[in-house]
Amino acid sequence: MTAKAKLHLAQQEEADALLSRSPLAALVGMLLDQQVPMEWAFAGPYTIARRMGAEDLDAHDIAAYDPDSFVELLSAKPAVHRYPGAMAGRVQKLCQYLVERYDGDAEEVWRDAGNGKELLRRLNELPGFGKQKAQIFLALLGKQLGVRPAGWREAAGAYGDADAFRSAADITGPESLQKVRAHKQQQKAAAKAQKAAADAAKS
């Protein structure tokens, strides 16, 4: 992470400060970013750290945490996610992988990546990270966190495009958040219309 990095994904000062300084918090936030509003997902790492009585997330601590107790930690109101039980397991699997593969140092995932294709491969190998999530996080690294190995935009696909408002990678404040949200709503509407047309053609 660069010293100047300042993320605005949670839209909460303390939660965003943690995302900005903690590579693991940023990864966990990205992992949680599904089936809930983006701000809710990215506020999750701060909530988890606070409930663990820590200033930051520690992959070793989370990996070794009793699974049932970790579910309870994420489930306490307000819950960290709409599906706290499933997400507790995913967060632990991610941290266990980071401990086994990178000695618990999340930044090692991208620190010495030789090019964008290699970085995408590493991100795609993370538990809970499919291609789309890996590309969005790669774009976030390049656009906002100064991690720009050769070919990073190409590896990130459409999410790497400059001046786009497609994902978390493009959010720098409330205005851009609304633009990204509008883009996602347009995508959903287009997909719904496409499905309706396909269903009509079958009947």
Side-chain angles (χ1 to χ4, degrees), residues 112-134:
D112 62 348
N115 55 55
K117 193 176 288 186
E118 180 186 352
L119 177 51
L120 179 62
R121 177 185 60 77
R122 292 185 186 185
L123 290 168
N124 207 18
E125 288 173 351
L126 296 173
F129 276 66
K131 183 180 179 183
Q132 183 185 48
K133 196 175 284 288

Side-chain angles (χ1 to χ4, degrees), residues 43-56:
Y46 176 72
T47 303
I48 294 170
R50 195 177 55 197
R51 290 178 182 175
M52 292 181 75
E55 293 293 317
D56 193 358

Side-chain angles (χ1 to χ4, degrees), residues 58-142:
D58 184 291
H60 291 90
D61 290 347
I62 293 174
Y65 215 88
D66 173 72
D68 291 337
S69 297
F70 198 62
V71 169
E72 289 177 12
L73 189 142
L74 268 68
S75 300
K77 295 185 184 302
V80 167
H81 194 276
R82 181 175 290 141
Y83 305 107
M87 284 302 171
R90 290 186 185 186
V91 171
Q92 282 202 292
K93 282 181 183 175
L94 172 63
C95 289
Q96 287 160 359
Y97 179 87
L98 291 171
V99 168
E100 292 167 8
R101 191 72 174 269
Y102 298 101
D103 195 28
D105 184 356
E107 196 168 6
E108 278 293 315
V109 176
W110 56 83
R111 184 178 286 131
D112 62 348
N115 55 55
K117 193 176 288 186
E118 180 186 352
L119 177 51
L120 179 62
R121 177 185 60 77
R122 292 185 186 185
L123 290 168
N124 207 18
E125 288 173 351
L126 296 173
F129 276 66
K131 183 180 179 183
Q132 183 185 48
K133 196 175 284 288
Q135 286 187 313
I136 292 172
F137 194 80
L138 197 163
L140 177 66
L141 287 170

